[in-house]
Amino acid sequence: MKFTRIAVAAVASAAALGLAACGGGSGSGSGNTVKVGIKFDQPGLGLKEGSKYSGFDVDVANYVAKELGVTPQFVEAVSSQRETLISTGQVKYIVGTYSITDKRKKDVSFAGPYFVAGQDLLVRADDSSITGPDSLKNKKLCSVKGSTSATNLQQKVPGVNLQEYNTYSLCVDALKAGNVDALTTDDTILAGYAAQAQNQGKLKLVGNKFSTENYGVGLKKGDQEFCNKVTEALKKFISSGEWEKSVKKNLGPANYTPGPGNPPTPSCQI
């Protein structure tokens, strides 16, 4: 009888360890692994350096995975490919500065928002000619294919010379090289680039936000059950204090302060 009790205790202990490894959200461990889309080139939000991942969105993705009891395997989710990655089942969900829009909701469902950002402009530090959207006429503006940023600016400034690249990193390089005059996207993303050591003193935010971007977790269209689970995980991420801790850790070095509406109240948007 004693041997049986010891054996049962050992099995229970092993099972507990297995669950801990599965729910750790570290991208490793035994258990149910799911592919999760994030950005690989957005400092402060989703950045891959070697085999390590960092950023606010990465923290969100890991927290959701932990609450779901799965282990995330990160996949790069380029803006123009996000809907395809979800609809074809190449990823289970995406956490990558993914703004909730009516157009996107026709193809995917969202849990969120988990963060409210605003569109801004990044320019060279010595450029005082660009003060906002109204000063972009005949300027070369860089944005990323498939993002809402390009659409917003084209509507506001019909005369802008828009250059679309595959990634924000390429836009930053073009800006520093003088090939474009400004980069536009969410202020969170721009703050991350401006805060990088290699860009300090070279780039600056204009500081004139002109849109509201509600970040959501993108998932398969119509999956109500999974959407509800992710929404509850996001609510817990916020209420537990992990949201605030992650914002300070990842965006605080850029002297960035979340704007109105933060932290938001997530909901399931099928």
Side-chain angles (χ1 to χ4, degrees):
M1 183 68 71
K2 179 184 291 185
F3 175 80
T4 302
R5 287 199 298 270
I6 293 173
V8 170
V11 171
S13 178
L17 288 172
L19 286 172
C22 174
S26 62
S28 62
S30 60
N32 184 17
T33 299
V34 299
K35 292 186 177 179
V36 178
I38 60 170
K39 291 296 178 69
F40 279 12
D41 70 330
Q42 292 180 353
L45 293 161
L47 185 66
K48 180 183 180 183
E49 296 176 294
S51 60
K52 295 183 178 181
Y53 303 90
S54 64
F56 177 72
D57 278 347
V58 174
D59 288 347
V60 173
N62 275 324
Y63 193 92
V64 169
K66 182 189 72 173
E67 290 299 305
L68 295 175
V70 299
T71 299
Q73 179 184 341
F74 291 131
V75 174
E76 185 173 19
V78 177
S79 293
S80 59
Q81 299 173 358
R82 288 179 296 202
E83 286 79 29
T84 300
L85 288 172
I86 292 173
S87 63
T88 57
Q90 294 181 62
V91 298
K92 183 67 174 176
Y93 59 93
I94 289 179
V95 189
T97 57
Y98 204 178
S99 297
I100 302 171
T101 67
D102 290 337
K103 181 180 179 181
R104 288 172 177 165
K105 284 165 68 176
K106 293 178 181 178
D107 300 311
V108 301
S109 293
F110 286 96
Y114 62 85
F115 195 91
V116 180
Q119 191 172 345
D120 204 342
L121 296 164
L122 188 70
V123 299
R124 289 182 289 277
D126 59 355
D127 187 349
S128 58
S129 66
I130 299 177
T131 56
D134 295 340
S135 56
L136 287 174
K137 189 174 181 179
N138 299 323
K139 296 284 189 179
K140 290 182 179 179
L141 178 70
C142 194
S143 193
V144 169
K145 294 177 183 177
S147 71
T148 57
S149 305
T151 303
N152 289 341
L153 252 300
Q154 282 183 312
Q155 292 174 347
K156 287 180 176 291
V157 189
V160 70
N161 182 356
L162 184 65
Q163 311 285 315
E164 291 186 288
Y165 286 57
N166 284 326
T167 66
Y168 293 110
S169 294
L170 291 174
C171 278
V172 171
D173 291 341
L175 178 60
K176 290 195 292 185
N179 295 327
V180 298
D181 300 305
L183 160 60
T184 188
T185 187
D186 304 344
D187 56 350
T188 48
I189 300 171
L190 299 179
Y193 281 113
Q196 284 188 297
Q198 65 266 35
N199 297 331
Q200 289 182 3
K202 298 178 181 179
L203 303 174
K204 66 179 181 181
L205 268 76
V206 169
N208 186 1
K209 289 187 284 189
F210 48 92
S211 78
T212 299
E213 305 295 333
N214 293 299
Y215 292 168
V217 176
L219 47 96
K220 195 171 185 64
K221 180 66 179 176
D223 192 341
Q224 182 78 58
E225 182 180 358
F226 185 64
C227 188
N228 289 339
K229 290 180 179 178
V230 175
T231 299
E232 289 307 308
L234 293 176
K235 289 180 178 178
K236 188 173 179 181
F237 181 66
I238 293 170
S239 65
S240 66
E242 290 301 312
W243 183 95
E244 184 177 5
K245 186 187 300 183
S246 181
V247 169
K248 288 181 178 178
K249 177 184 70 176
N250 294 294
L251 300 176
N255 295 318
Y256 177 83
T257 301
N262 283 300
T265 301
S267 64
C268 182
Q269 304 185 40
I270 294 293

